[in-house]
Amino acid sequence: MDTIIVIGGGASGIVSAISAKTKNNKVIVLERNSNCLKKLLMTGNGKCNYFNDDQSFDKYYSIDSSIINSIITDNNMDLVIDFFNKLGVVYKKKNGYYYPFSNQASTIKEILLGEALRLGVLIECDSLVTDICVKENGFEVYVNDKNIFCNKLIISTGSKAYPKTGSNGMGYSFLSKLGHSIIKPLPALVPLICDFKYAKEWAGIRSDVIISLYEDDCFIKEESGEIQLTDYGISGICTFNLSHVITRGLNDGKSEIVKINFVPFIDGDVFEWVDNYCLGFPDKNICECLNGFLNNKLVSVVLKSCGISFDKKYCDLKNFEKKQLVECLYNFSLKICDVKSFDFSQVCNGGVRLSEINPLTFESKIVNNLYITGELLDLNGLCGGYNLTVAWLSGLLAGKSAGDISVEN
């Protein structure tokens, strides 16, 4: 009877174990925490957005971008959906986002752990792996005060993101020792730190915006949605979705600037709209006019940034002041000087190169019978269930190959 060890009891690790388990093998999950799936409970603000209908390639990022289309396929996405349907997860969809109908991440956790135990997977918590050695017919895994031999090994230890959940990046060290090259892990889906003197004054504001990223003065991409203005810079889903480019760019010494459109509801010429709107209230000062469509704290920051007196009337502004005001409203420029640490990042950008794994099985091309799943890979997605999709899929395919069975069984 073959023994398969899964190091890590997170999303990809537990799914790997479920997918690998048959009557003819022994599957052991080694989890360093006192319980499994700790990080899963934090996803989607505790509601667990576990999948998304929109699985276009631009939702994912990797240095080896050409390999993504071998992983994110229609057939593979069907595997993920079928897996959860067969487990009995009743879902509801909102704008293409899948949630358990219970609105609780604990639903997904309990169903996954229940299935693993039903199949006979052995889950050993409080198990700290300290070393891995390649043997002639498998691996020697050193854990706590003992060593365990296995024929096949799945490493699912997670990245360096959210270290309070137990992810400290130890998997990178193991895989580096085993011969894999590691693209430097950097925080992703993370708040941005800006060089802006009025940041403390706008802290707490939430606003619907369009935000555009410029790297070394070249336009990269834009996102729309709610932004959170903070005392250190900016946060929110639309900024998170730019962060993987920004962290890599800053690491490479590039200039990163975002431009914010605070008036995305204006369809057409912004100057003309603002001019007509403000001139329609000749008895109001500029501050009172802007309060008609902007948060009052944001009005203060915008006027200070333009150097315009609050009590001036719009009709008394000089032409260059009007242009400067409009520029601040729809093209507010912020220099990104850093990002928040791994403690605040949902995932990592970087990891094991996709070129070093078989995208059909997630088996290492360097070490036979070694599999790598989830956040350890240099494959991260945007907000919206994409990173969990990578976890589920890599776990399903790695487990299927390691257990040498079909997913349907």
Side-chain angles (χ1 to χ4, degrees):
M1 176 180 283
D2 282 354
T3 296
I4 301 169
I5 285 181
V6 181
I7 304 178
S12 69
I14 295 299
V15 171
S16 294
I18 291 170
S19 185
K21 185 69 181 82
T22 71
K23 295 179 180 178
N24 301 316
N25 63 28
K26 181 179 182 180
V27 178
I28 305 171
V29 175
L30 301 176
E31 168 56 44
R32 66 175 297 174
N33 289 321
S34 58
N35 52 71
C36 295
L37 297 170
K38 187 174 182 179
K39 186 175 179 180
L40 183 70
L41 294 178
M42 303 169 66
T43 60
N45 291 321
K47 297 180 180 180
C48 194
N49 166 211
Y50 68 92
F51 192 69
N52 200 303
D53 273 338
D54 181 3
Q55 290 292 334
S56 50
F57 299 150
D58 63 358
K59 300 296 188 293
Y60 296 92
Y61 178 79
S62 172
I63 293 294
D64 298 314
S65 58
S66 62
I67 300 177
I68 295 176
N69 60 8
S70 298
I71 297 173
I72 307 302
T73 67
D74 290 342
N75 286 340
N76 281 346
M77 295 306 101
D78 288 342
L79 281 179
V80 174
I81 291 298
D82 288 346
F83 173 72
F84 283 100
N85 286 342
K86 289 176 180 177
L87 288 179
V89 175
V90 177
Y91 66 85
K92 62 180 177 182
K93 280 197 289 184
K94 182 178 180 180
N95 300 322
Y97 290 42
Y98 284 64
Y99 297 89
F101 194 80
S102 66
N103 264 341
Q104 292 182 302
S106 58
T107 295
I108 304 293
K109 174 184 176 177
E110 296 305 324
I111 286 178
L112 289 175
L113 290 179
E115 179 68 4
L117 295 174
R118 184 187 70 80
L119 293 172
V121 173
L122 301 177
I123 299 177
E124 299 185 6
C125 294
D126 297 311
S127 297
L128 179 62
V129 175
T130 56
D131 201 6
I132 300 167
C133 292
V134 179
K135 300 296 183 180
E136 184 177 351
N137 296 312
F139 305 86
E140 201 78 37
V141 178
Y142 296 82
V143 52
N144 294 347
D145 56 354
K146 62 184 178 180
N147 56 295
I148 310 173
F149 176 82
C150 63
N151 306 95
K152 297 180 180 180
L153 178 64
I154 302 174
I155 302 183
S156 308
T157 56
S159 62
K160 296 176 73 174
Y162 277 165
K164 63 184 177 182
T165 63
S167 298
N168 63 357
M170 65 179 181
Y172 301 129
S173 299
F174 294 148
L175 291 165
S176 180
K177 178 186 175 184
L178 293 172
H180 278 279
S181 54
I182 308 295
I183 297 170
K184 181 180 179 180
L186 298 169
L189 300 188
V190 65
L192 309 178
I193 299 173
C194 304
D195 182 12
F196 181 51
K197 65 180 179 179
Y198 298 121
K200 289 185 178 180
E201 296 187 31
W202 72 7
I205 295 174
R206 292 173 180 260
S207 180
D208 290 326
V209 303
I210 297 173
I211 182 169
S212 304
L213 172 63
Y214 291 79
E215 186 173 79
D216 285 346
D217 296 324
C218 294
F219 173 77
I220 302 298
K221 63 181 298 190
E222 73 175 27
E223 292 282 334
S224 60
E226 186 181 77
I227 195 173
Q228 299 170 32
L229 306 177
T230 70
D231 59 1
Y232 57 79
I234 52 178
S235 186
I237 290 176
C238 57
T239 60
F240 291 170
N241 286 341
L242 299 174
S243 62
H244 66 280
V245 178
I246 291 170
T247 53
R248 190 61 59 185
L250 289 174
N251 184 71
D252 294 340
K254 296 180 179 179
S255 168
E256 305 290 335
I257 291 175
V258 295
K259 296 185 178 182
I260 305 171
N261 179 357
F262 286 112
V263 287
F265 59 86
I266 297 177
D267 185 16
D269 187 284
V270 179
F271 185 92
E272 181 180 348
W273 188 95
V274 172
D275 196 56
N276 289 335
Y277 177 87
C278 292
L279 289 175
F281 302 96
D283 296 330
K284 292 184 178 182
N285 61 38
I286 186 60
C287 187
E288 292 170 326
C289 286
L290 296 182
N291 277 334
F293 55 89
L294 284 187
N295 180 290
N296 63 320
K297 287 171 65 177
L298 184 56
V299 170
S300 174
V301 170
V302 166
L303 292 178
K304 285 183 179 181
S305 298
C306 295
I308 296 174
S309 174
F310 290 20
D311 58 3
K312 262 193 175 183
K313 291 187 177 181
Y314 181 79
C315 61
D316 293 330
L317 295 182
K318 296 179 180 178
N319 199 47
F320 82 89
E321 290 179 309
K322 293 179 180 179
K323 289 182 178 179
Q324 191 174 22
L325 173 62
V326 170
E327 182 75 8
C328 272
L329 291 175
Y330 87 101
N331 211 22
F332 196 98
S333 183
L334 288 171
K335 180 180 180 181
I336 310 300
C337 57
D338 203 351
V339 301
K340 298 287 271 185
S341 69
F342 288 113
D343 292 327
F344 300 90
S345 68
Q346 295 181 26
V347 295
C348 277
N349 173 3
V352 176
R353 293 200 64 150
L354 295 184
S355 58
E356 295 181 357
I357 60 108
N358 181 336
L360 303 180
T361 63
F362 288 85
E363 183 177 8
S364 166
K365 292 181 180 179
I366 295 173
V367 181
N368 291 335
N369 296 318
L370 171 67
Y371 298 82
I372 307 162
T373 70
E375 288 185 33
L376 281 172
L377 299 164
D378 175 41
L379 178 60
N380 62 282
L382 303 183
C383 292
Y386 298 106
N387 292 289
L388 277 177
T389 296
V390 173
W392 312 136
L393 180 60
S394 59
L396 283 169
L397 295 180
K400 173 185 174 182
S401 179
D404 195 25
I405 58 171
S406 65
V407 173
E408 287 75 20
N409 292 335

